[in-house]
Amino acid sequence: MSTRLERLEAALAQAAGAVGLSRRRLRQASADRLARALAAPSQREKLAALEDPILTRADRRRLREQIGVSLAPETRSGPVGRRRGMISRIQVALSRRRLNPFTVVIGALVAAPIVTASGLALIHTGQGARLNRTCTDVVLTRPDGTTRTLTLSRGDWVVVHGHSRTGVRITMWAPLIGYDTATVSQTCLDDAR
């Protein structure tokens, strides 16, 4: 029985040695084919070498990387011609990757309050204007509800908050009190800002 076990172990060792030798021969043959493929003058021959069954995975990957590098378009070293505009760059960036619906929803949820707040601020922010003639007996209403009558002279700056049928609603800053509001005729204002 021991002789039979010894024969099996010897056959197993011989088979393992043959497998090792076969692997070394395959790696050597693959390295030779890879060197021949890399030395090929045309890209067509290099591409055809990718189908060679002798090449190992590692050598096939090296050849693929080499072909990919050689087929890559040349990069420009400096600015040639016109650069792309911002909108064109954004369109290219968006076309290169698909938008995740979750990202779109989160972006909309974040953008909606910002756009709403900006719109409300723009609507409720007045525009500066200069009086182009003297306006007499302008009734200014203070924040506490009291009124005062004032003559606004030519060249005074006011903030226009809206137009109505009776005139233009303006505000003027009063130190320590706040904004006084009044309605004046359109002819008192100069549209030039």
Side-chain angles (χ1 to χ4, degrees):
M1 179 116 164
S2 66
T3 58
R4 188 171 178 196
L5 181 61
E6 290 172 357
R7 282 187 301 194
L8 285 174
E9 287 177 352
L12 185 61
Q14 185 181 4
V19 167
L21 180 64
S22 174
R23 285 184 180 158
R24 284 191 297 277
R25 285 182 182 170
L26 180 62
R27 275 192 236 121
Q28 183 60 40
S30 178
D32 292 343
R33 295 273 179 103
L34 176 65
R36 202 174 336 151
L38 290 176
S42 73
Q43 294 296 332
R44 180 173 294 194
E45 292 174 17
K46 289 180 182 179
L47 286 172
L50 281 174
E51 302 297 325
D52 191 353
I54 301 294
L55 286 177
T56 61
R57 285 184 186 166
D59 289 341
R60 189 172 282 118
R61 187 179 320 118
R62 249 182 264 138
L63 180 60
R64 192 177 299 126
E65 289 171 359
Q66 178 68 28
I67 292 172
V69 169
S70 65
L71 292 179
E74 294 181 13
T75 58
R76 296 180 183 171
S77 59
V80 178
R82 240 180 69 191
R83 290 194 63 199
R84 289 185 180 186
M86 184 178 17
I87 293 175
S88 176
R89 285 183 286 173
I90 290 172
Q91 287 174 342
V92 168
L94 289 176
S95 69
R96 285 190 178 161
R97 65 182 192 111
R98 287 186 57 196
L99 291 178
N100 184 351
F102 179 74
T103 307
V104 172
V105 169
I106 295 298
L109 289 175
V110 169
I114 294 171
V115 170
T116 303
S118 300
L120 288 173
L122 184 63
I123 290 171
H124 293 291
T125 301
Q127 294 180 338
R130 190 178 52 201
L131 296 175
N132 65 358
R133 68 181 186 95
T134 302
C135 295
T136 57
D137 299 328
V138 176
V139 179
L140 294 167
T141 306
R142 294 190 168 162
D144 61 359
T146 60
T147 60
R148 68 181 176 137
T149 304
L150 187 66
T151 300
L152 300 175
S153 59
R154 181 178 187 200
D156 285 347
W157 282 93
V158 295
V159 178
V160 177
H161 278 284
H163 298 274
S164 65
R165 292 181 190 164
T166 58
V168 179
R169 192 169 67 96
I170 63 168
T171 57
M172 292 182 62
W173 178 252
L176 302 175
I177 297 172
Y179 279 101
D180 293 342
T181 61
T183 302
V184 297
S185 67
Q186 178 67 41
T187 57
C188 290
L189 294 177
D190 183 6
D191 286 336
R193 291 175 182 80

